[in-house]
Amino acid sequence: QEERDGGREEDGEMMIAVRWAAARWRVKASATTPWRFGSTAAGELAASTSFGNKEEEDQEAWYASEEGGLSFRCTRCGRCCGLEGTRKVHVSDREIEEIARLLGEPETSVREDRVTRTETGHQVLRGKQRGTGEVCTFLHSDGTCKIHRAKPVQCRTYPFWPEFLASPFEWKAEGARCEGIGSVQGRVPRQEVRRQLVLETLSRSAREGGDENRLTYGESSDLLEDVGEDLLEEFERDFLARNRRQVVADIGDLVVVDFHGESEDGSARRVLISKQAPWLAQSEASVAPDGSVDLNRVPQRVQQALIASLALVAPREAASSRSSIAQIGAGACVAATALSLRLPDARVEAWDLDERALRLAADHFGAERGACVRLVRDAEEIVGESEVGSRAAILLDVCGVGGGRGEVGEIPPADPFLLPRFLEGAMAALEPGGVLAIHVANPNKEEALQAVASIARPRGLAVRSLALRGEGGVGSDPWLVYACPPHSPKTAEEFAKQLQDGPLRGLCPQITELLLSTPDSFWEVTG
């Protein structure tokens, strides 16, 4: 920042800032961020996506072998300007000044008409409606940018963002959104890729530190001119070492990836991902430095929220030897395995249509250490089960197709599972005092809630909902709907106490914290 006062920073001082940013910035895989990545057909993506060798790759720079850089050319498709989920265009005070000068408008007008603040207080550009989604306020209908010469840092550096450069896996996953990634008509040299990575990382670090007067792209670029290339190479090495990825298994259209560098204790996140939807994590587990899977931890908040539904089961039945729990859409069975260890007297079943996912659960997610029964079954088989009224809990986490454009695995639940026939059959399978928990990310929240309530209430069940605020998602935060006994916890405080004091103690820490810090995230559905 002293640059604007006429001073010049020494290389050593600049490297302190670069190293500080490298030490702080540990990116999370884009696979955990439920963005909608455009309309690439699932089959085309699965056929065109390669996930590399299962052996640990040299982290010197995975793109060093890509003929000296990365294939990319902007096609002006405008998809990167979409504001779905958590994606926003952040701007600093100095960038707002630059935009105002370019437009020839007063800065106050730009702030009033074009800028807003997020819930966390960050300045972002406003959006505008286009079709069924929202796009940046400065995006023209032909895909060009009205403020191209004054674009904020994140727009200038895209797609060379930390979360996309951590590994070839994330780079190819973002290619499902950006048609310019992989283009044979353009190649960005490795040196330029590195430079964009540094500029974006430093800008984010300043933003997270609360600096609203951080430098513009041009000013930051000028500073980098005085930094030796060897120092930037060291930054790149540090970044890649701290965000190491390793493909553990690759079977058909399923891949298991370990994401290193996100935890101070040296543990890794092990993620099961479908190549048909590489931006989403189907299942996650925590892996200790010695390679063992920690089954006392369930990393995903949605999975924790499904497990938490057991705290709504009538106490006399919760851990009964007669109880049976079915997780439908179990993936790598992380939640089901953890439950089987916590409730050894209960029969815990993990249902999934993909036999390969269940096999990977045993081979790489520790499922063989638990007592859960892994079954290749369709969710609709819960309807008309021979043993009616035998389930203490049914946990439903089945994704459907979003947007009607062929994207896979975006919006849970799939449409059939909110229809009366399925809901009636699932609730009929519950034993007295049992609970049906459904993960929902459908934008038509009220419609989904009322669909469940219309079936639950005549059966004497209450309907409660839990919003997982802060998760982002397809236009809204994901949430859970519970059809449960009317005498189960009605308030967030009561719900949290059940989680803290019961057999699930410590298994759902993020849900417990959410209930205590944001009590209005849990409510009873009325009307």
Coordinates of all heavy atoms in Angstrom, one line a residue, residues 13-69:
E13 N 10.8 -7.3 1.6 CA 9.5 -6.9 2.2 C 8.3 -7.5 1.4 O 7.4 -7.9 2.0 CB 9.4 -5.4 2.3 CG 10.4 -4.7 3.2 CD 10.3 -3.2 3.2 OE1 10.5 -2.6 2.1 OE2 10.0 -2.7 4.2
M14 N 8.5 -7.5 0.1 CA 7.4 -8.0 -0.7 C 7.2 -9.5 -0.4 O 6.1 -10.0 -0.4 CB 7.7 -7.7 -2.2 CG 6.5 -8.2 -3.1 SD 5.0 -7.3 -2.8 CE 3.9 -8.0 -4.0
M15 N 8.4 -10.2 -0.3 CA 8.3 -11.6 -0.1 C 7.7 -12.0 1.2 O 7.0 -13.0 1.4 CB 9.7 -12.2 -0.2 CG 9.7 -13.8 -0.3 SD 8.6 -14.3 -1.7 CE 8.4 -16.0 -1.2
I16 N 7.8 -11.1 2.2 CA 7.1 -11.3 3.5 C 5.7 -11.4 3.3 O 5.0 -12.3 3.8 CB 7.5 -10.2 4.5 CG1 8.9 -10.3 5.0 CG2 6.5 -10.3 5.7 CD1 9.4 -9.2 5.8
A17 N 5.1 -10.5 2.5 CA 3.7 -10.5 2.2 C 3.3 -11.7 1.4 O 2.3 -12.3 1.6 CB 3.3 -9.2 1.4
V18 N 4.2 -12.1 0.4 CA 3.9 -13.2 -0.4 C 3.9 -14.5 0.4 O 3.0 -15.3 0.3 CB 4.9 -13.4 -1.6 CG1 4.7 -14.7 -2.3 CG2 4.7 -12.2 -2.6
R19 N 4.9 -14.6 1.3 CA 5.0 -15.8 2.1 C 3.8 -15.9 3.1 O 3.3 -16.9 3.4 CB 6.3 -15.8 2.9 CG 7.4 -16.3 2.0 CD 8.7 -16.3 2.8 NE 9.8 -16.9 2.1 CZ 11.1 -16.7 2.3 NH1 11.4 -15.8 3.3 NH2 12.0 -17.3 1.7
W20 N 3.4 -14.7 3.6 CA 2.3 -14.7 4.6 C 1.0 -15.1 3.9 O 0.3 -15.9 4.4 CB 2.1 -13.2 5.1 CG 0.9 -13.0 5.9 CD1 0.6 -13.5 7.1 CD2 -0.3 -12.3 5.4 NE1 -0.6 -13.1 7.5 CE2 -1.2 -12.4 6.5 CE3 -0.7 -11.6 4.3 CZ2 -2.5 -11.8 6.4 CZ3 -1.9 -11.0 4.2 CH2 -2.8 -11.1 5.3
A21 N 0.8 -14.7 2.7 CA -0.4 -15.1 1.9 C -0.3 -16.6 1.6 O -1.3 -17.3 1.8 CB -0.5 -14.3 0.6
A22 N 0.8 -17.1 1.3 CA 1.0 -18.5 0.9 C 0.7 -19.4 2.2 O 0.1 -20.4 2.1 CB 2.4 -18.8 0.4
A23 N 1.2 -18.9 3.3 CA 1.0 -19.6 4.6 C -0.5 -19.6 5.0 O -1.0 -20.6 5.5 CB 1.8 -19.0 5.7
R24 N -1.2 -18.5 4.7 CA -2.6 -18.4 5.1 C -3.5 -19.2 4.2 O -4.5 -19.7 4.6 CB -3.0 -17.0 5.1 CG -2.7 -16.2 6.4 CD -3.4 -14.9 6.3 NE -4.8 -15.0 6.5 CZ -5.7 -14.0 6.4 NH1 -5.3 -12.8 6.1 NH2 -7.0 -14.2 6.6
W25 N -3.2 -19.1 2.9 CA -4.2 -19.4 1.9 C -4.2 -20.9 1.6 O -3.4 -21.4 0.8 CB -4.1 -18.6 0.6 CG -5.3 -18.7 -0.2 CD1 -5.6 -19.6 -1.2 CD2 -6.6 -18.1 0.1 NE1 -6.9 -19.4 -1.6 CE2 -7.5 -18.5 -0.8 CE3 -6.9 -17.1 1.0 CZ2 -8.8 -18.1 -0.8 CZ3 -8.2 -16.7 1.0 CH2 -9.1 -17.1 0.1
R26 N -5.1 -21.6 2.3 CA -5.3 -23.1 2.0 C -6.7 -23.2 1.3 O -7.7 -22.9 2.0 CB -5.2 -23.9 3.2 CG -3.8 -23.9 3.8 CD -3.7 -24.8 5.0 NE -2.4 -25.0 5.4 CZ -1.9 -24.8 6.7 NH1 -2.7 -24.3 7.6 NH2 -0.7 -25.0 7.0
V27 N -6.7 -23.5 0.1 CA -8.0 -23.5 -0.6 C -8.7 -24.8 -0.3 O -8.1 -25.9 -0.1 CB -7.8 -23.3 -2.1 CG1 -7.1 -22.1 -2.4 CG2 -7.1 -24.5 -2.7
K28 N -10.0 -24.7 -0.3 CA -10.9 -25.9 -0.3 C -11.2 -26.3 -1.7 O -11.4 -25.5 -2.6 CB -12.2 -25.6 0.5 CG -11.9 -25.5 2.0 CD -13.2 -25.6 2.8 CE -12.9 -25.6 4.3 NZ -14.1 -25.7 5.1
A29 N -11.4 -27.6 -1.9 CA -11.7 -28.1 -3.2 C -12.9 -27.5 -3.8 O -13.9 -27.4 -3.1 CB -11.8 -29.6 -3.2
S30 N -12.9 -27.1 -5.1 CA -14.1 -26.7 -5.7 C -15.2 -27.7 -5.7 O -16.4 -27.5 -5.8 CB -13.9 -26.2 -7.1 OG -13.3 -27.3 -7.9
A31 N -14.8 -29.0 -5.5 CA -15.8 -30.1 -5.5 C -16.7 -30.0 -4.2 O -17.7 -30.6 -4.2 CB -15.0 -31.4 -5.4
T32 N -16.3 -29.2 -3.2 CA -17.2 -29.1 -2.1 C -18.1 -27.9 -2.2 O -18.9 -27.6 -1.3 CB -16.4 -28.9 -0.8 OG1 -15.7 -27.6 -0.8 CG2 -15.4 -30.0 -0.7
T33 N -17.9 -27.1 -3.2 CA -18.7 -25.9 -3.4 C -19.8 -26.1 -4.4 O -19.6 -26.3 -5.5 CB -17.9 -24.7 -3.9 OG1 -16.7 -24.6 -3.0 CG2 -18.6 -23.4 -3.9
P34 N -21.1 -26.1 -3.9 CA -22.2 -26.5 -4.8 C -22.6 -25.4 -5.8 O -23.7 -24.9 -5.8 CB -23.3 -26.9 -3.9 CG -23.0 -26.0 -2.7 CD -21.5 -25.9 -2.6
W35 N -21.6 -25.0 -6.7 CA -22.0 -24.1 -7.7 C -22.6 -24.8 -8.9 O -22.3 -26.0 -9.1 CB -20.7 -23.4 -8.2 CG -20.1 -22.4 -7.3 CD1 -20.8 -21.6 -6.4 CD2 -18.8 -22.1 -7.1 NE1 -19.9 -20.8 -5.7 CE2 -18.7 -21.1 -6.1 CE3 -17.6 -22.6 -7.7 CZ2 -17.5 -20.6 -5.7 CZ3 -16.4 -22.0 -7.3 CH2 -16.3 -21.1 -6.3
R36 N -23.4 -24.2 -9.7 CA -23.9 -24.7 -10.9 C -22.9 -24.3 -12.0 O -22.7 -23.2 -12.3 CB -25.3 -24.3 -11.3 CG -26.3 -24.9 -10.4 CD -27.7 -24.9 -11.0 NE -28.3 -23.6 -10.8 CZ -29.5 -23.3 -11.2 NH1 -30.3 -24.2 -11.7 NH2 -30.0 -22.1 -11.0
F37 N -22.3 -25.3 -12.7 CA -21.2 -25.0 -13.6 C -21.6 -25.0 -15.1 O -21.0 -25.6 -15.9 CB -20.1 -26.1 -13.4 CG -19.2 -25.8 -12.3 CD1 -19.6 -25.0 -11.3 CD2 -17.9 -26.3 -12.3 CE1 -18.7 -24.7 -10.2 CE2 -17.1 -26.1 -11.2 CZ -17.4 -25.3 -10.2
G38 N -22.8 -24.5 -15.4 CA -23.2 -24.4 -16.8 C -23.9 -25.6 -17.2 O -24.4 -26.4 -16.4
S39 N -24.0 -25.8 -18.5 CA -24.9 -26.9 -19.1 C -24.1 -28.0 -19.7 O -24.7 -28.7 -20.6 CB -25.8 -26.2 -20.1 OG -25.1 -25.6 -21.1
T40 N -22.9 -28.3 -19.3 CA -22.2 -29.4 -19.9 C -22.9 -30.7 -19.6 O -23.2 -31.0 -18.5 CB -20.8 -29.5 -19.3 OG1 -20.1 -28.3 -19.6 CG2 -20.0 -30.6 -20.0
A41 N -23.2 -31.5 -20.6 CA -23.9 -32.7 -20.4 C -23.0 -33.7 -19.6 O -21.8 -33.8 -19.8 CB -24.2 -33.4 -21.8
A42 N -23.6 -34.4 -18.7 CA -22.9 -35.3 -17.8 C -22.1 -36.3 -18.6 O -20.9 -36.6 -18.3 CB -23.9 -36.0 -16.9
G43 N -22.7 -36.9 -19.7 CA -21.9 -37.9 -20.4 C -20.7 -37.4 -21.1 O -19.7 -38.0 -21.1
E44 N -20.8 -36.1 -21.7 CA -19.7 -35.5 -22.3 C -18.6 -35.2 -21.3 O -17.4 -35.5 -21.6 CB -20.1 -34.2 -23.0 CG -21.1 -34.4 -24.1 CD -21.7 -33.1 -24.6 OE1 -21.3 -32.0 -24.0 OE2 -22.4 -33.1 -25.6
L45 N -19.0 -34.8 -20.1 CA -17.9 -34.5 -19.1 C -17.3 -35.7 -18.7 O -16.0 -35.8 -18.5 CB -18.6 -33.7 -18.0 CG -17.6 -33.3 -16.9 CD1 -16.6 -32.3 -17.4 CD2 -18.4 -32.7 -15.7
A46 N -18.0 -36.8 -18.4 CA -17.4 -38.0 -17.9 C -16.5 -38.6 -19.0 O -15.4 -39.1 -18.7 CB -18.5 -39.0 -17.6
A47 N -16.9 -38.4 -20.2 CA -16.0 -39.0 -21.3 C -14.7 -38.2 -21.5 O -13.7 -38.7 -21.9 CB -16.8 -39.0 -22.6
S48 N -14.8 -36.9 -21.2 CA -13.7 -36.0 -21.5 C -12.8 -35.7 -20.3 O -11.8 -35.1 -20.5 CB -14.2 -34.6 -22.0 OG -14.9 -34.0 -21.0
T49 N -13.2 -36.2 -19.1 CA -12.4 -35.9 -17.9 C -11.5 -37.0 -17.5 O -11.9 -38.1 -17.3 CB -13.4 -35.5 -16.8 OG1 -14.2 -34.5 -17.2 CG2 -12.6 -35.1 -15.5
S50 N -10.2 -36.7 -17.4 CA -9.2 -37.7 -17.0 C -8.7 -37.2 -15.6 O -8.5 -36.0 -15.4 CB -8.1 -37.8 -18.0 OG -7.0 -38.6 -17.4
F51 N -8.5 -38.1 -14.7 CA -8.2 -37.7 -13.3 C -6.8 -38.1 -13.0 O -6.4 -38.1 -11.8 CB -9.2 -38.3 -12.3 CG -10.5 -37.6 -12.4 CD1 -11.4 -37.9 -13.4 CD2 -10.8 -36.6 -11.6 CE1 -12.6 -37.3 -13.5 CE2 -12.0 -35.9 -11.7 CZ -12.9 -36.2 -12.6
G52 N -5.9 -38.5 -13.9 CA -4.5 -38.7 -13.7 C -4.2 -40.0 -13.0 O -5.0 -40.9 -12.8
N53 N -2.9 -40.1 -12.6 CA -2.3 -41.3 -12.1 C -2.7 -41.4 -10.6 O -2.7 -40.4 -9.9 CB -0.8 -41.3 -12.3 CG -0.2 -42.7 -12.0 OD1 -0.2 -43.1 -10.9 ND2 0.3 -43.3 -13.1
K54 N -2.9 -42.6 -10.1 CA -3.2 -42.7 -8.7 C -2.0 -42.5 -7.8 O -2.1 -42.3 -6.6 CB -3.7 -44.1 -8.4 CG -5.1 -44.3 -8.9 CD -5.7 -45.7 -8.5 CE -5.1 -46.8 -9.4 NZ -5.8 -48.1 -9.1
E55 N -0.8 -42.5 -8.4 CA 0.4 -42.3 -7.6 C 0.5 -40.8 -7.3 O 0.0 -39.9 -8.0 CB 1.7 -42.7 -8.4 CG 1.7 -44.2 -8.7 CD 1.7 -45.0 -7.4 OE1 2.4 -44.6 -6.4 OE2 1.1 -46.1 -7.4
E56 N 1.1 -40.4 -6.2 CA 1.2 -39.0 -5.8 C 2.1 -38.3 -6.8 O 3.1 -38.7 -7.2 CB 1.9 -38.9 -4.4 CG 2.0 -37.6 -3.8 CD 2.5 -37.6 -2.4 OE1 2.1 -38.5 -1.7 OE2 3.2 -36.7 -2.1
E57 N 1.5 -37.1 -7.3 CA 2.2 -36.4 -8.4 C 3.2 -35.4 -7.8 O 3.1 -35.0 -6.7 CB 1.1 -35.7 -9.2 CG 0.2 -36.6 -9.9 CD -0.8 -35.9 -10.8 OE1 -0.5 -34.7 -11.1 OE2 -1.8 -36.4 -11.2
D58 N 4.2 -35.1 -8.6 CA 5.2 -34.1 -8.2 C 4.4 -32.7 -8.1 O 3.8 -32.2 -9.0 CB 6.2 -34.0 -9.3 CG 7.3 -32.9 -9.0 OD1 7.3 -32.4 -7.9 OD2 8.1 -32.6 -9.9
Q59 N 4.5 -32.1 -6.9 CA 3.8 -30.9 -6.6 C 4.6 -29.6 -7.0 O 4.3 -28.5 -6.7 CB 3.4 -30.8 -5.2 CG 2.3 -31.9 -4.8 CD 1.1 -31.7 -5.6 OE1 0.5 -30.6 -5.6 NE2 0.6 -32.7 -6.3
E60 N 5.8 -29.8 -7.7 CA 6.5 -28.7 -8.1 C 5.6 -27.7 -8.9 O 5.7 -26.5 -8.8 CB 7.7 -29.2 -9.0 CG 8.7 -28.1 -9.3 CD 9.5 -27.6 -8.1 OE1 9.5 -28.3 -7.0 OE2 10.1 -26.5 -8.1
A61 N 4.8 -28.3 -9.8 CA 3.8 -27.6 -10.5 C 3.2 -28.5 -11.5 O 3.8 -29.0 -12.5 CB 4.3 -26.3 -11.3
W62 N 1.9 -29.0 -11.2 CA 1.3 -30.0 -12.1 C 1.2 -29.5 -13.5 O 1.2 -30.3 -14.4 CB 0.0 -30.4 -11.5 CG -1.0 -29.3 -11.4 CD1 -1.3 -28.5 -10.4 CD2 -1.9 -28.9 -12.5 NE1 -2.3 -27.6 -10.7 CE2 -2.7 -27.8 -12.0 CE3 -2.1 -29.3 -13.8 CZ2 -3.7 -27.2 -12.7 CZ3 -3.1 -28.7 -14.5 CH2 -3.9 -27.6 -14.0
Y63 N 1.1 -28.2 -13.7 CA 0.9 -27.7 -15.1 C 2.2 -27.4 -15.7 O 2.3 -26.9 -16.9 CB 0.0 -26.4 -15.0 CG 0.4 -25.4 -14.0 CD1 1.4 -24.5 -14.1 CD2 -0.3 -25.4 -12.8 CE1 1.7 -23.6 -13.1 CE2 -0.1 -24.5 -11.8 CZ 1.0 -23.6 -11.9 OH 1.3 -22.7 -10.9
A64 N 3.4 -27.7 -15.1 CA 4.7 -27.6 -15.7 C 4.8 -28.5 -16.9 O 5.5 -28.1 -17.9 CB 5.8 -27.8 -14.7
S65 N 4.1 -29.6 -16.9 CA 4.3 -30.6 -18.0 C 3.3 -30.3 -19.1 O 3.3 -31.0 -20.1 CB 4.1 -32.0 -17.4 OG 2.8 -32.1 -16.9
E66 N 2.4 -29.3 -18.9 CA 1.4 -29.0 -19.9 C 1.9 -28.1 -21.0 O 1.4 -27.0 -21.3 CB 0.2 -28.3 -19.2 CG -0.5 -29.1 -18.2 CD -1.3 -30.3 -18.7 OE1 -1.8 -30.2 -19.8 OE2 -1.3 -31.3 -18.0
E67 N 3.0 -28.6 -21.6 CA 3.7 -27.9 -22.7 C 4.0 -26.4 -22.3 O 3.8 -25.5 -23.1 CB 2.8 -27.9 -24.0 CG 2.6 -29.3 -24.5 CD 1.8 -29.4 -25.8 OE1 1.6 -28.3 -26.4 OE2 1.4 -30.4 -26.2
G68 N 4.4 -26.3 -21.0 CA 4.8 -24.9 -20.6 C 3.7 -24.0 -20.2 O 3.9 -22.8 -20.1
G69 N 2.5 -24.5 -19.9 CA 1.5 -23.6 -19.5 C 0.1 -24.3 -19.5 O 0.1 -25.6 -19.5

